Amino acid sequence: MNNKEKIFLNKLINKYSKEPRGKYLLTPDSFSNDDIIQGISTLLKKKITMSDVTKKFEKKFAKVVGAKYALMVNSGSSANLLAFFALINPMKKKRLRPGDECIIPSLCWSTSLWPIVQSGLKPKFVDIDRGSLNLSIDQLKKKITKKTRAIMAVHILGNSTNMIELNKIIKRKNLYLIEDTCESLGSSYKKKKLGTFGDFGTFSFYYSHQITSGEGGMIVCNDKKNYEILHSLRAHGWDRGLNKKNQKSFNFINSGFNLRPTETSAAIGYSQLKKLNKFKKIRSSNRNKIIKKLQSSKKWREQFTFIYPAKNLDPSWFGLPILINKPYIKKKRKFLNYLNKNFIETRPIISGNFINQKSINLYKLNQSKEKFPNAQNIDDRGFFIGVHVNPISNKELNFLENKLLKINEI
Ligand SMILES: Cc1ncc(COP(=O)(O)O)c(C=O)c1O
Protein backbone atom coordinates (compact mmCIF):
# COMPACT_ATOMS: atom_id res chain seq x y z
CA MET A 1 0.00 0.00 0.00
CA ASN A 2 1.50 3.36 -0.97
CA ASN A 3 1.45 6.57 1.09
CA LYS A 4 -1.35 8.20 -0.86
CA GLU A 5 -3.58 5.17 -0.30
CA LYS A 6 -2.70 5.15 3.42
CA ILE A 7 -3.63 8.83 3.76
CA PHE A 8 -6.93 8.16 2.03
CA LEU A 9 -7.70 5.21 4.35
CA ASN A 10 -6.70 7.18 7.45
CA LYS A 11 -9.18 9.92 6.52
CA LEU A 12 -11.90 7.36 5.94
CA ILE A 13 -11.25 5.60 9.26
CA ASN A 14 -11.23 8.91 11.16
CA LYS A 15 -14.55 9.82 9.58
CA TYR A 16 -16.26 6.59 10.63
CA SER A 17 -14.74 5.90 14.05
CA LYS A 18 -16.00 8.41 16.57
CA GLU A 19 -16.22 7.43 20.24
CA PRO A 20 -18.83 8.86 22.61
CA ARG A 21 -17.42 11.82 24.53
CA GLY A 22 -17.75 12.64 28.22
CA LYS A 23 -18.22 9.02 29.27
CA TYR A 24 -15.73 6.98 31.29
CA LEU A 25 -16.03 3.75 29.32
CA LEU A 26 -15.14 0.24 30.42
CA THR A 27 -13.19 -0.09 27.18
CA PRO A 28 -12.66 2.67 24.69
CA ASP A 29 -11.45 0.99 21.52
CA SER A 30 -7.71 0.46 21.41
CA PHE A 31 -7.40 0.16 17.63
CA SER A 32 -4.97 2.47 15.92
CA ASN A 33 -5.67 3.34 12.31
CA ASP A 34 -2.75 1.15 11.36
CA ASP A 35 -4.35 -1.91 13.05
CA ILE A 36 -7.42 -1.34 10.89
CA ILE A 37 -5.36 -0.76 7.76
CA GLN A 38 -3.61 -4.10 8.36
CA GLY A 39 -7.05 -5.74 8.55
CA ILE A 40 -8.25 -3.91 5.46
CA SER A 41 -5.23 -5.05 3.48
CA THR A 42 -6.27 -8.70 3.94
CA LEU A 43 -9.67 -7.77 2.50
CA LEU A 44 -8.13 -5.85 -0.39
CA LYS A 45 -6.04 -8.91 -1.25
CA LYS A 46 -9.18 -11.04 -0.83
CA LYS A 47 -7.29 -13.19 1.68
CA ILE A 48 -9.93 -13.42 4.39
CA THR A 49 -9.57 -17.04 5.39
CA MET A 50 -6.74 -18.18 7.68
CA SER A 51 -3.38 -18.13 5.91
CA ASP A 52 0.19 -16.71 6.18
CA VAL A 53 -0.58 -13.76 8.45
CA THR A 54 -2.24 -16.09 10.97
CA LYS A 55 0.92 -18.24 10.96
CA LYS A 56 3.08 -15.16 11.41
CA PHE A 57 0.92 -14.01 14.35
CA GLU A 58 1.05 -17.48 15.96
CA LYS A 59 4.85 -17.59 15.70
CA LYS A 60 5.28 -14.13 17.14
CA PHE A 61 2.77 -14.80 19.92
CA ALA A 62 4.57 -17.99 20.95
CA LYS A 63 7.82 -16.05 21.14
CA VAL A 64 6.32 -13.18 23.14
CA VAL A 65 4.78 -15.45 25.79
CA GLY A 66 7.64 -17.97 25.77
CA ALA A 67 5.79 -21.07 24.58
CA LYS A 68 6.90 -23.54 21.91
CA TYR A 69 3.60 -23.62 20.05
CA ALA A 70 0.71 -21.19 19.60
CA LEU A 71 -2.46 -21.82 17.63
CA MET A 72 -4.93 -19.06 16.82
CA VAL A 73 -8.67 -19.66 17.13
CA ASN A 74 -11.79 -17.53 16.79
CA SER A 75 -12.19 -16.78 20.53
CA GLY A 76 -10.84 -17.40 24.02
CA SER A 77 -13.85 -19.65 24.62
CA SER A 78 -12.79 -21.78 21.64
CA ALA A 79 -9.28 -21.99 23.07
CA ASN A 80 -10.72 -23.37 26.35
CA LEU A 81 -12.90 -25.80 24.41
CA LEU A 82 -9.88 -27.09 22.48
CA ALA A 83 -7.83 -27.53 25.67
CA PHE A 84 -10.41 -29.86 27.22
CA PHE A 85 -11.20 -31.73 24.02
CA ALA A 86 -7.46 -32.32 23.58
CA LEU A 87 -7.26 -33.74 27.12
CA ILE A 88 -10.00 -36.30 26.40
CA ASN A 89 -8.85 -37.06 22.84
CA PRO A 90 -8.01 -40.70 21.96
CA MET A 91 -4.73 -39.50 20.42
CA LYS A 92 -3.63 -38.29 23.84
CA LYS A 93 -1.65 -40.64 26.04
CA LYS A 94 -3.07 -40.82 29.57
CA ARG A 95 -6.17 -39.01 28.40
CA LEU A 96 -8.93 -37.94 30.75
CA ARG A 97 -12.02 -40.13 31.01
CA PRO A 98 -15.70 -39.27 31.58
CA GLY A 99 -16.32 -38.38 35.22
CA ASP A 100 -12.72 -37.41 35.98
CA GLU A 101 -12.66 -34.31 38.14
CA CYS A 102 -11.32 -30.91 37.21
CA ILE A 103 -11.03 -28.24 39.89
CA ILE A 104 -12.02 -24.69 38.97
CA PRO A 105 -12.38 -21.50 41.06
CA SER A 106 -15.99 -20.43 41.64
CA LEU A 107 -15.04 -16.93 40.49
CA CYS A 108 -14.70 -17.78 36.81
CA TRP A 109 -16.05 -17.05 33.36
CA SER A 110 -18.82 -19.16 31.83
CA THR A 111 -16.61 -20.60 29.11
CA SER A 112 -13.85 -21.37 31.61
CA LEU A 113 -16.37 -23.77 33.16
CA TRP A 114 -18.56 -25.19 30.40
CA PRO A 115 -15.85 -26.87 28.30
CA ILE A 116 -15.17 -29.04 31.37
CA VAL A 117 -18.78 -30.21 31.35
CA GLN A 118 -18.99 -30.38 27.54
CA SER A 119 -16.01 -32.74 27.47
CA GLY A 120 -17.66 -35.10 29.96
CA LEU A 121 -15.54 -34.16 32.96
CA LYS A 122 -16.84 -33.20 36.37
CA PRO A 123 -16.15 -29.67 37.59
CA LYS A 124 -15.38 -29.23 41.26
CA PHE A 125 -15.49 -25.68 42.54
CA VAL A 126 -12.94 -24.20 44.87
CA ASP A 127 -13.05 -20.84 46.66
CA ILE A 128 -10.73 -17.97 45.86
CA ASP A 129 -8.18 -16.05 47.81
CA ARG A 130 -9.56 -12.66 48.94
CA GLY A 131 -6.37 -10.77 48.23
CA SER A 132 -5.70 -11.87 44.66
CA LEU A 133 -9.21 -12.98 43.54
CA ASN A 134 -7.56 -16.16 42.24
CA LEU A 135 -7.96 -19.74 43.36
CA SER A 136 -7.01 -20.35 46.98
CA ILE A 137 -4.12 -22.78 47.33
CA ASP A 138 -5.27 -23.78 50.86
CA GLN A 139 -8.77 -24.56 49.62
CA LEU A 140 -7.38 -26.36 46.60
CA LYS A 141 -5.36 -28.72 48.81
CA LYS A 142 -8.57 -29.63 50.67
CA LYS A 143 -10.54 -30.28 47.48
CA ILE A 144 -8.12 -32.63 45.73
CA THR A 145 -9.24 -36.27 45.81
CA LYS A 146 -8.21 -39.45 44.01
CA LYS A 147 -10.62 -38.53 41.22
CA THR A 148 -8.98 -35.15 40.58
CA ARG A 149 -7.09 -35.20 37.30
CA ALA A 150 -6.91 -31.56 36.23
CA ILE A 151 -6.98 -27.98 37.46
CA MET A 152 -8.41 -25.07 35.51
CA ALA A 153 -6.65 -21.99 36.91
CA VAL A 154 -8.45 -18.82 35.86
CA HIS A 155 -6.07 -15.84 36.08
CA ILE A 156 -8.44 -13.08 37.11
CA LEU A 157 -8.10 -9.55 35.67
CA GLY A 158 -4.33 -9.76 35.21
CA ASN A 159 -3.67 -11.27 38.65
CA SER A 160 -2.73 -14.85 39.58
CA THR A 161 -2.53 -17.34 42.40
CA ASN A 162 0.81 -18.49 43.85
CA MET A 163 2.14 -20.25 40.75
CA ILE A 164 5.07 -21.87 42.56
CA GLU A 165 2.74 -23.56 45.04
CA LEU A 166 0.31 -24.48 42.28
CA ASN A 167 3.12 -26.04 40.26
CA LYS A 168 4.28 -28.09 43.24
CA ILE A 169 0.76 -29.49 43.69
CA ILE A 170 0.42 -30.25 39.98
CA LYS A 171 3.73 -32.15 39.96
CA ARG A 172 3.15 -33.97 43.27
CA LYS A 173 -0.35 -35.10 42.33
CA ASN A 174 0.40 -35.64 38.65
CA LEU A 175 -2.41 -33.38 37.43
CA TYR A 176 -3.04 -31.55 34.17
CA LEU A 177 -2.99 -27.75 34.43
CA ILE A 178 -4.96 -25.53 32.08
CA GLU A 179 -4.45 -21.80 32.53
CA ASP A 180 -7.29 -19.59 31.39
CA THR A 181 -5.21 -16.50 30.71
CA CYS A 182 -7.93 -14.75 28.70
CA GLU A 183 -7.82 -11.79 31.11
CA SER A 184 -4.08 -11.79 31.81
CA LEU A 185 -2.01 -11.66 28.62
CA GLY A 186 1.37 -10.11 29.45
CA SER A 187 1.38 -10.84 33.22
CA SER A 188 4.51 -12.62 34.46
CA TYR A 189 5.05 -14.63 37.61
CA LYS A 190 8.73 -14.60 38.59
CA LYS A 191 9.48 -13.44 35.04
CA LYS A 192 7.61 -16.38 33.45
CA LYS A 193 4.51 -15.44 31.50
CA LEU A 194 1.14 -16.63 32.81
CA GLY A 195 -0.27 -19.19 30.42
CA THR A 196 3.04 -21.06 30.11
CA PHE A 197 3.11 -22.90 33.45
CA GLY A 198 0.66 -25.64 32.54
CA ASP A 199 -0.20 -28.04 29.74
CA PHE A 200 -2.28 -25.42 27.95
CA GLY A 201 -2.60 -21.64 28.22
CA THR A 202 -5.55 -19.88 26.62
CA PHE A 203 -5.95 -16.23 25.60
CA SER A 204 -8.74 -13.98 24.33
CA PHE A 205 -8.52 -11.05 21.93
CA TYR A 206 -12.10 -9.86 22.39
CA TYR A 207 -12.24 -6.07 22.16
CA SER A 208 -11.96 -5.38 25.90
CA HIS A 209 -8.85 -7.51 26.47
CA GLN A 210 -5.13 -6.60 26.76
CA ILE A 211 -4.86 -6.72 22.98
CA THR A 212 -7.73 -7.17 20.57
CA SER A 213 -8.47 -8.53 17.14
CA GLY A 214 -12.21 -7.84 17.52
CA GLU A 215 -12.89 -11.51 18.13
CA GLY A 216 -10.10 -14.06 18.47
CA GLY A 217 -8.08 -16.23 20.79
CA MET A 218 -4.90 -18.26 21.10
CA ILE A 219 -3.92 -21.51 22.75
CA VAL A 220 -0.31 -22.27 23.65
CA CYS A 221 1.51 -25.44 24.70
CA ASN A 222 5.03 -26.89 24.75
CA ASP A 223 4.31 -30.46 23.70
CA LYS A 224 4.39 -31.32 19.98
CA LYS A 225 1.78 -34.06 20.25
CA ASN A 226 -0.60 -31.75 22.12
CA TYR A 227 -0.07 -29.15 19.41
CA GLU A 228 -0.89 -31.64 16.67
CA ILE A 229 -4.08 -32.67 18.45
CA LEU A 230 -5.14 -29.01 18.87
CA HIS A 231 -4.28 -28.34 15.23
CA SER A 232 -6.45 -31.17 13.92
CA LEU A 233 -9.34 -30.38 16.31
CA ARG A 234 -9.34 -26.69 15.29
CA ALA A 235 -10.29 -27.48 11.71
CA HIS A 236 -12.46 -30.49 10.86
CA GLY A 237 -10.07 -33.10 12.26
CA TRP A 238 -7.92 -33.02 9.16
CA ASP A 239 -4.12 -32.87 9.09
CA ARG A 240 -3.89 -30.01 6.61
CA GLY A 241 -1.10 -27.65 7.66
CA LEU A 242 0.68 -30.18 9.85
CA ASN A 243 3.47 -30.62 7.29
CA LYS A 244 3.31 -34.40 7.19
CA LYS A 245 5.02 -36.05 4.25
CA ASN A 246 2.88 -37.80 1.60
CA GLN A 247 -0.13 -36.00 2.86
CA LYS A 248 -3.39 -36.38 0.98
CA SER A 249 -5.31 -33.14 0.93
CA PHE A 250 -8.48 -34.47 2.55
CA ASN A 251 -7.01 -36.62 5.27
CA PHE A 252 -9.22 -36.76 8.38
CA ILE A 253 -7.12 -38.06 11.26
CA ASN A 254 -9.27 -36.96 14.19
CA SER A 255 -12.66 -35.64 15.21
CA GLY A 256 -12.93 -31.89 14.99
CA PHE A 257 -14.62 -28.50 15.03
CA ASN A 258 -14.23 -25.45 12.90
CA LEU A 259 -12.77 -22.83 15.26
CA ARG A 260 -10.52 -21.12 12.72
CA PRO A 261 -9.89 -17.39 12.97
CA THR A 262 -10.04 -15.13 9.94
CA GLU A 263 -6.90 -13.73 8.37
CA THR A 264 -8.35 -10.26 8.97
CA SER A 265 -8.51 -10.85 12.75
CA ALA A 266 -4.99 -12.25 12.70
CA ALA A 267 -3.67 -9.16 10.87
CA ILE A 268 -5.27 -6.86 13.45
CA GLY A 269 -4.06 -9.04 16.34
CA TYR A 270 -0.50 -9.12 14.97
CA SER A 271 -0.48 -5.35 14.70
CA GLN A 272 -1.84 -5.00 18.27
CA LEU A 273 0.67 -7.48 19.74
CA LYS A 274 3.48 -5.02 18.97
CA LYS A 275 1.84 -2.64 21.45
CA LEU A 276 1.25 -5.10 24.29
CA ASN A 277 4.05 -3.73 26.49
CA LYS A 278 3.15 -0.13 25.84
CA PHE A 279 -0.51 -0.80 26.69
CA LYS A 280 0.53 -2.71 29.80
CA LYS A 281 2.63 0.20 31.10
CA ILE A 282 -0.03 2.83 30.45
CA ARG A 283 -2.78 0.71 31.99
CA SER A 284 -0.69 0.13 35.07
CA SER A 285 0.15 3.82 35.43
CA ASN A 286 -3.53 4.78 34.95
CA ARG A 287 -4.57 2.27 37.60
CA ASN A 288 -2.07 3.65 40.10
CA LYS A 289 -3.12 7.22 39.38
CA ILE A 290 -6.81 6.43 39.93
CA ILE A 291 -6.16 4.68 43.25
CA LYS A 292 -3.86 7.49 44.42
CA LYS A 293 -6.38 10.13 43.41
CA LEU A 294 -9.16 8.47 45.39
CA GLN A 295 -7.09 7.66 48.46
CA SER A 296 -5.59 11.15 48.70
CA SER A 297 -8.92 12.93 48.20
CA LYS A 298 -10.47 15.05 50.97
CA LYS A 299 -13.57 12.93 50.44
CA TRP A 300 -11.75 9.61 51.04
CA ARG A 301 -13.38 7.74 53.95
CA GLU A 302 -12.07 4.22 53.16
CA GLN A 303 -15.14 3.65 50.99
CA PHE A 304 -13.36 1.05 48.87
CA THR A 305 -10.77 -1.72 48.95
CA PHE A 306 -8.53 -2.26 45.94
CA ILE A 307 -6.93 -5.45 44.69
CA TYR A 308 -3.14 -5.68 44.58
CA PRO A 309 -0.93 -8.04 42.55
CA ALA A 310 0.01 -11.40 44.05
CA LYS A 311 3.56 -11.60 45.43
CA ASN A 312 6.10 -12.22 42.61
CA LEU A 313 3.63 -11.09 39.94
CA ASP A 314 4.27 -8.39 37.36
CA PRO A 315 0.65 -7.77 36.36
CA SER A 316 -0.83 -6.79 33.03
CA TRP A 317 -4.08 -5.28 34.30
CA PHE A 318 -7.50 -5.80 32.81
CA GLY A 319 -9.81 -3.27 34.48
CA LEU A 320 -9.66 -1.88 38.00
CA PRO A 321 -11.59 -4.10 40.42
CA ILE A 322 -13.10 -2.25 43.39
CA LEU A 323 -14.70 -3.68 46.53
CA ILE A 324 -17.21 -1.54 48.42
CA ASN A 325 -16.48 -1.37 52.15
CA LYS A 326 -18.82 -1.35 55.11
CA PRO A 327 -21.14 0.52 55.76
CA TYR A 328 -21.91 1.07 52.06
CA ILE A 329 -22.17 -2.51 50.81
CA LYS A 330 -25.99 -2.56 50.88
CA LYS A 331 -26.00 0.45 48.56
CA LYS A 332 -24.14 -1.40 45.81
CA ARG A 333 -27.02 -1.64 43.33
CA LYS A 334 -28.11 1.96 43.87
CA PHE A 335 -24.52 3.15 43.59
CA LEU A 336 -23.87 1.30 40.32
CA ASN A 337 -27.09 2.73 38.88
CA TYR A 338 -25.90 6.16 39.93
CA LEU A 339 -22.53 5.64 38.21
CA ASN A 340 -24.20 4.41 35.05
CA LYS A 341 -26.50 7.44 34.94
CA ASN A 342 -23.46 9.61 35.50
CA PHE A 343 -21.52 8.20 32.58
CA ILE A 344 -19.21 5.78 34.34
CA GLU A 345 -19.55 2.29 32.93
CA THR A 346 -19.16 -0.59 35.39
CA ARG A 347 -19.47 -4.36 35.28
CA PRO A 348 -19.28 -7.30 37.71
CA ILE A 349 -15.92 -8.85 38.53
CA ILE A 350 -15.97 -11.55 35.85
CA SER A 351 -19.46 -12.97 36.47
CA GLY A 352 -19.37 -12.93 40.29
CA ASN A 353 -19.65 -16.18 42.21
CA PHE A 354 -20.55 -18.47 39.31
CA ILE A 355 -22.44 -20.80 41.66
CA ASN A 356 -25.24 -18.16 41.65
CA GLN A 357 -25.82 -18.33 37.89
CA LYS A 358 -28.98 -19.99 36.57
CA SER A 359 -27.03 -22.22 34.20
CA ILE A 360 -25.58 -23.97 37.26
CA ASN A 361 -29.07 -25.22 38.18
CA LEU A 362 -29.76 -26.25 34.60
CA TYR A 363 -26.78 -28.60 34.72
CA LYS A 364 -27.49 -29.68 38.31
CA LEU A 365 -24.21 -28.40 39.65
CA ASN A 366 -25.97 -26.54 42.46
CA GLN A 367 -24.38 -26.06 45.78
CA SER A 368 -24.66 -23.55 48.56
CA LYS A 369 -22.99 -20.23 47.83
CA GLU A 370 -21.93 -20.10 51.50
CA LYS A 371 -19.36 -22.77 50.71
CA PHE A 372 -17.47 -20.12 48.75
CA PRO A 373 -17.43 -17.14 51.15
CA ASN A 374 -14.58 -15.31 49.42
CA ALA A 375 -16.09 -15.54 45.93
CA GLN A 376 -19.42 -14.51 47.49
CA ASN A 377 -17.71 -11.54 49.13
CA ILE A 378 -16.58 -10.38 45.67
CA ASP A 379 -20.10 -10.94 44.34
CA ASP A 380 -21.62 -8.88 47.17
CA ARG A 381 -19.11 -6.04 47.17
CA GLY A 382 -17.31 -5.97 43.84
CA PHE A 383 -17.48 -4.19 40.51
CA PHE A 384 -14.91 -2.89 38.10
CA ILE A 385 -14.18 0.15 36.00
CA GLY A 386 -11.92 0.37 32.97
CA VAL A 387 -8.23 1.17 32.78
CA HIS A 388 -7.55 2.55 29.34
CA VAL A 389 -4.67 2.32 26.88
CA ASN A 390 -4.21 6.09 26.66
CA PRO A 391 -2.80 8.05 29.61
CA ILE A 392 -5.63 9.20 31.88
CA SER A 393 -6.16 12.98 31.97
CA ASN A 394 -6.54 15.13 35.10
CA LYS A 395 -10.07 15.90 33.94
CA GLU A 396 -10.90 12.18 33.93
CA LEU A 397 -9.25 11.68 37.33
CA ASN A 398 -11.29 14.53 38.85
CA PHE A 399 -14.43 13.14 37.25
CA LEU A 400 -13.81 9.69 38.77
CA GLU A 401 -12.98 11.20 42.18
CA ASN A 402 -16.20 13.23 42.24
CA LYS A 403 -18.48 10.45 41.14
CA LEU A 404 -16.97 7.42 42.87
CA LEU A 405 -16.59 9.10 46.24
CA LYS A 406 -20.26 10.15 46.18
CA ILE A 407 -21.17 6.73 47.55
CA ASN A 408 -21.50 8.22 51.06
CA GLU A 409 -24.16 10.65 49.87
CA ILE A 410 -26.47 8.61 47.70
C1 LIG B 1 -11.56 -15.63 32.09
C2 LIG B 1 -12.16 -15.67 30.71
N1 LIG B 1 -12.13 -16.82 30.03
C3 LIG B 1 -12.64 -16.92 28.79
C4 LIG B 1 -13.22 -15.83 28.17
C5 LIG B 1 -13.79 -16.00 26.81
O1 LIG B 1 -13.13 -15.25 25.84
P1 LIG B 1 -13.89 -14.88 24.46
O2 LIG B 1 -14.81 -13.76 24.77
O3 LIG B 1 -12.79 -14.48 23.53
O4 LIG B 1 -14.60 -16.09 24.02
C6 LIG B 1 -13.31 -14.62 28.86
C7 LIG B 1 -13.98 -13.48 28.22
O5 LIG B 1 -13.97 -12.37 28.63
C8 LIG B 1 -12.78 -14.53 30.17
O6 LIG B 1 -12.85 -13.40 30.87
Side-chain angles (χ1 to χ4, degrees), residues 80 84 100-104 112-124 152:
N80 284 340
F84 282 96
D100 283 347
E101 282 179 5
C102 175
I103 293 182
I104 177 167
S112 321
L113 167 69
W114 295 115
I116 300 174
V117 177
Q118 286 153 345
S119 57
L121 307 176
K122 206 173 154 207
K124 195 167 181 187
M152 173 56 145

Side-chain angles (χ1 to χ4, degrees), residues 120-249:
L121 307 176
K122 206 173 154 207
K124 195 167 181 187
F125 292 101
V126 67
D127 203 2
I128 54 152
D129 174 65
R130 272 194 191 217
S132 70
L133 306 180
N134 278 257
L135 71 77
S136 152
I137 296 287
D138 289 341
Q139 291 301 313
L140 175 69
K141 284 178 183 163
K142 289 181 190 154
K143 289 273 165 115
I144 292 177
T145 67
K146 278 189 183 141
K147 285 188 172 169
T148 309
R149 296 289 315 279
I151 294 175
M152 173 56 145
V154 186
H155 301 306
I156 310 283
L157 297 176
N159 218 338
S160 82
T161 189
N162 182 331
M163 295 306 291
I164 304 294
E165 283 300 311
L166 182 60
N167 244 352
K168 278 187 200 158
I169 295 171
I170 294 288
K171 293 229 165 79
R172 199 168 56 239
K173 301 278 182 185
N174 204 13
L175 305 173
Y176 289 115
L177 173 62
I178 307 93
E179 295 175 74
D180 182 335
T181 321
C182 287
E183 299 187 351
S184 302
L185 169 60
S187 293
S188 308
Y189 192 94
K190 286 204 164 185
K191 298 211 158 66
K192 188 173 162 62
K193 289 277 189 306
L194 294 183
T196 61
F197 285 80
D199 297 275
F200 298 106
T202 61
F203 300 85
S204 164
F205 310 134
Y206 185 60
Y207 86 99
S208 50
H209 292 238
Q210 276 87 352
I211 63 164
T212 178
S213 58
E215 295 277 6
M218 196 74 83
I219 179 161
V220 302
C221 65
N222 285 322
D223 179 88
K224 190 164 183 232
K225 191 73 200 164
N226 281 343
Y227 173 73
E228 288 179 356
I229 296 172
L230 295 173
H231 200 289
S232 59
L233 291 178
R234 173 178 68 175
H236 315 291
W238 61 27
D239 62 359
R240 183 181 292 176
L242 275 173
N243 294 326
K244 296 259 157 96
K245 279 184 189 152
N246 304 324
Q247 194 178 321
K248 288 188 293 174
S249 57

